[in-house]
Amino acid sequence: MKNIDELIQSPQFSSEAIEHHIDMLGERVFQVKTKWPHFNLLLRDLRSLSERLEENSLVISLERGLLYGGSSLAAPVFSGHRVIAADCSPASADDRGAYNETMVDDARFLSVPSSIRTNIEKTDLPGAKADLVIVPNLVHHIADQSALFSEISRLLKPGGLAYVFEPLVRELHQSPDDFLRHTPYGLENILKKNGLHPLETKTEGGPFSVIAYSWAQALEYIPQEDRSELNEWFYNEHFPQLMEWDTKYPNNQERKFTSFPMAFSVLAQKKD
């Protein structure tokens, strides 16, 4: 078992710097205005969670820091708290390397290096210590779901919070480490089975976001030399119109119990 005191970091950044960091994540990493608008939910939630916690709370962030050169994207947002940034990149990620590192090559990026590289299904961190465990955009990459949620529950102290952000619509990516897609109801169910009571579930985006996302992915399949005209049409005309429709038409007019969100988040609390 790791010595937790050796892994804890205490990032200290100004509110202005954190806002710039979040803006940079939206622009360069999650590209919310051009490709992946559903990640706005994650960015809003991280800010809200940081403000919700009591000062000096212990936050464990389970991410894949290797993609970004070994830095945590979420940890800087929790300035004023104690943070363990756990890089949960699998061994297969070593061959891919830090292929997204250029995304964070920006003066606004607040670098908090990973505290530890570990197996997300068995982190080797002491249990019942964390006030908050966050798993941003990672659950679908984990083969052993039972072990994952059991570990999240083990890390939390009684009354502690677990936060999960997940896509509903994604291409197969980081292959072959892409295993499943939960619905919000399915994720709530597995959280309950692990002693984590859902407090709040949010969804983001609608069918027009799904269309926009699919177009953005599809354009990557067209050779670069044939793509420029389509890119201009998509980003200057089609994407803005789809985003307008996504806001204007949020509800299915034919089937009352049907929806088509792009992504969702669940906040749950460990039972005492």
Side-chain angles (χ1 to χ4, degrees):
M1 194 66 65
K2 299 294 184 182
N3 184 337
I4 196 168
D5 292 330
E6 296 178 356
L7 301 174
I8 292 174
Q9 304 183 64
S10 299
Q12 298 292 331
F13 301 111
S14 69
S15 297
E16 182 180 15
I18 293 170
E19 287 303 314
H20 288 323
H21 174 81
I22 292 172
D23 288 344
M24 186 279 306
L25 293 181
E27 291 171 18
R28 299 200 57 181
V29 177
F30 299 123
Q31 302 173 59
V32 295
K33 293 182 179 180
T34 55
K35 283 190 176 182
W36 307 309
H38 52 289
F39 278 99
N40 274 314
L41 175 61
L42 172 61
L43 297 177
R44 291 196 306 269
D45 283 345
L46 291 177
R47 184 189 292 108
S48 175
L49 285 168
S50 179
E51 295 171 352
R52 175 177 183 154
L53 292 174
E54 294 184 5
E55 188 176 355
N56 209 37
S57 293
L58 177 60
V59 180
I60 298 178
S61 182
L62 305 176
E63 302 178 59
R64 287 197 165 180
L66 178 62
L67 285 172
Y68 305 98
S71 292
S72 166
L73 302 184
V77 182
F78 294 93
S79 176
H81 301 292
R82 297 172 298 139
V83 177
I84 296 177
D87 181 356
C88 300
S89 302
S92 59
D94 291 335
D95 290 337
R96 294 189 290 266
Y99 63 86
N100 281 344
E101 190 172 11
T102 56
M103 289 183 173
V104 297
D105 183 15
D106 190 296
R108 294 170 294 172
F109 181 68
L110 301 176
S111 180
V112 175
S114 299
S115 310
I116 183 176
R117 183 168 177 184
T118 188
N119 182 351
I120 197 170
E121 298 160 3
K122 188 177 180 182
T123 64
D124 202 28
L125 297 172
K129 298 289 186 182
D131 296 286
L132 171 67
V133 173
I134 64 173
V135 192
N137 196 40
L138 190 54
V139 165
H140 55 283
H141 287 302
I142 310 306
D144 191 340
Q145 293 284 296
S146 295
L148 166 65
F149 286 98
S150 176
E151 181 68 358
I152 293 170
S153 183
R154 186 189 71 82
L155 291 171
L156 284 168
K157 63 172 61 173
L161 299 172
Y163 171 80
V164 177
F165 170 89
E166 274 294 288
L168 271 164
V169 181
R170 283 297 302 267
E171 75 286 2
L172 288 177
H173 60 288
Q174 296 185 26
S175 300
D177 301 310
D178 190 355
F179 298 103
L180 82 168
R181 303 288 182 267
H182 283 292
T183 69
Y185 310 109
L187 189 59
E188 288 177 348
N189 188 52
I190 195 171
L191 287 166
K192 290 176 185 176
K193 288 181 178 179
N194 287 274
L196 301 170
H197 177 68
L199 299 176
E200 186 175 30
T201 299
K202 303 174 186 176
T203 60
E204 184 80 0
F208 302 103
S209 286
V210 173
I211 294 170
Y213 178 83
S214 299
W215 260 110
Q217 300 305 310
L219 288 173
E220 295 180 359
Y221 287 73
I222 297 174
Q224 184 69 46
E225 60 271 18
D226 300 327
R227 201 186 306 168
S228 58
E229 186 174 341
L230 278 171
N231 273 341
E232 184 175 352
W233 162 78
F234 175 70
Y235 290 112
N236 293 339
E237 298 179 36
H238 196 43
F239 186 90
Q241 184 178 56
L242 289 169
M243 293 302 96
E244 178 184 348
W245 288 350
D246 214 50
T247 302
K248 189 175 181 179
Y249 305 115
N251 300 316
N252 189 305
Q253 301 298 306
E254 301 293 331
R255 291 178 292 163
K256 182 178 180 181
F257 299 104
T258 298
S259 60
F260 208 153
M262 270 294 304
F264 68 96
S265 65
V266 180
L267 181 67
Q269 186 170 43
K270 185 174 181 178
K271 295 180 180 179
D272 294 335

